[in-house]
């Protein structure tokens, strides 16, 4: 099975068939898709200027989408390296039990669904790297009461998500499943109440 970098080379290869180049970009999303496969594809195609169903997009637009994905992947890989180094040091210092951020991180290792968007058409519009920078910054500071990506205040507890965990606080403004460790207990309770009000 081809890795991310091998697939990226195929996307860039001007000698390759356009259908293969598009297919290779889609396959990259099996290795790294911050919003999940469908939402990340919708995001990349929209920002690069081709339709999600376009079977013969301009090759330059495919490469532009790949560049954005690679930039975001670099941000995430750097975070994972820092995370692994921190955990190694904590274990050396005797801190064996992982915290809530660590538990969340374990479920997102590799970056797939790190900012999960259950609705593939509702996702942040900013560059993926910027979104990941904001999310990582939120993981490294004290919990807050708003979405770490868009500062949205409308957090709604959603069930039946096509993700693990299958329930959690979703930002009604940008669509991401907000990692619980970045929210205060009050914000989490408010999101649960919002779910109850909406279902009543």
């Amino acid at each position: 099975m081809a890795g991310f970098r091998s697939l990226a080379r195929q996307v860039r290869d001007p000698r390759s068939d356009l259908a293969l180049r598009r297919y290779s970009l889609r396959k990259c999303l099996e290795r790294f898709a911050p919003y999940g496969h469908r939402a990340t594809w919708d995001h990349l195609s929209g920002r690069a200027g081709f339709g999600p169903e376009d079977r013969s997009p301009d090759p330059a637009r495919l490469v532009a989408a790949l560049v954005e994905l690679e930039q975001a992947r670099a941000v995430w890989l750097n975070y994972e390296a820092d995370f692994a180094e921190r955990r190694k040091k904590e274990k050396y210092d005797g801190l064996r039990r992982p915290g809530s951020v660590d538990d969340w991180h374990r479920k997102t290792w590799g970056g797939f669904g790190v900012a999960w968007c259950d609705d593939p058409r509702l996702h942040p519009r900013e560059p993926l790297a910027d979104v990941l920078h904001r999310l990582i910054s939120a993981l490294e500071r004290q919990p807050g009461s708003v979405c770490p990506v868009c500062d949205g205040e409308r957090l709604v507890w959603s069930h039946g998500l096509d993700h693990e965990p299958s329930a959690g606080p979703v930002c009604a403004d940008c669509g991401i499943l907000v990692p619980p460790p970045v929210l205060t207990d009050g914000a989490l309770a408010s999101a649960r109440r919002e779910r109850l009000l909406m279902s009543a």
Side-chain angles (χ1 to χ4, degrees):
M1 187 188 306
F4 185 94
R5 286 183 291 185
S6 175
L7 291 164
R9 280 194 296 273
Q10 290 176 2
V11 176
R12 285 192 167 89
D13 187 353
R15 296 165 300 175
S16 287
D17 177 70
L18 184 56
L20 175 62
R21 295 175 73 178
R22 180 186 182 277
Y23 173 78
S24 297
L25 180 59
R26 292 292 302 248
K27 292 294 281 182
C28 283
L29 301 185
E30 292 179 11
R31 311 308 186 272
F32 180 73
Y35 302 153
H37 191 283
R38 291 170 53 216
T40 304
W41 179 254
D42 188 78
H43 170 86
L44 291 173
S45 60
R47 284 190 45 85
F50 61 91
E53 301 302 323
D54 188 349
R55 298 291 177 205
S56 55
D58 179 342
R61 294 182 188 276
L62 284 178
V63 172
L66 174 64
V67 167
E68 179 172 348
L69 189 64
E70 288 175 322
Q71 290 170 343
R73 184 171 179 262
V75 169
W76 186 252
L77 291 177
N78 187 53
Y79 168 72
E80 285 194 335
D82 291 347
F83 177 89
E85 188 60 34
R86 177 179 62 81
R87 282 300 295 143
K88 183 178 175 182
K89 183 179 182 323
E90 287 174 349
K91 287 179 181 178
Y92 180 81
D93 292 340
L95 184 61
R96 297 271 174 203
R97 185 181 173 112
S100 62
V101 170
D102 302 327
D103 186 50
W104 171 83
H105 184 267
R106 181 180 51 78
K107 296 172 186 169
T108 60
W109 189 260
F112 186 85
V114 67
W116 180 261
C117 297
D118 216 50
D119 180 346
R121 295 170 311 276
L122 178 60
H123 47 76
R125 300 292 174 207
E126 296 79 11
L128 282 171
D130 291 353
V131 169
L132 293 183
H133 273 301
R134 291 178 194 163
L135 191 61
I136 290 166
S137 294
L139 290 165
E140 295 171 344
R141 65 176 182 255
Q142 292 298 312
S145 59
V146 298
C147 173
V149 169
C150 71
D151 293 327
E153 298 177 359
R154 299 184 308 139
L155 303 176
V156 179
W157 198 268
S158 297
H159 292 277
L161 301 174
D162 192 19
H163 183 62
E164 176 58 37
S166 61
V170 172
C171 177
D173 295 316
C174 73
I176 73 158
L177 172 62
V178 180
V182 307
L183 296 173
T184 63
D185 290 343
L188 290 169
S190 177
R192 285 187 179 96
R193 281 194 304 275
E194 188 68 25
R195 163 72 174 151
L196 293 174
L197 290 172
M198 289 180 73
S199 61

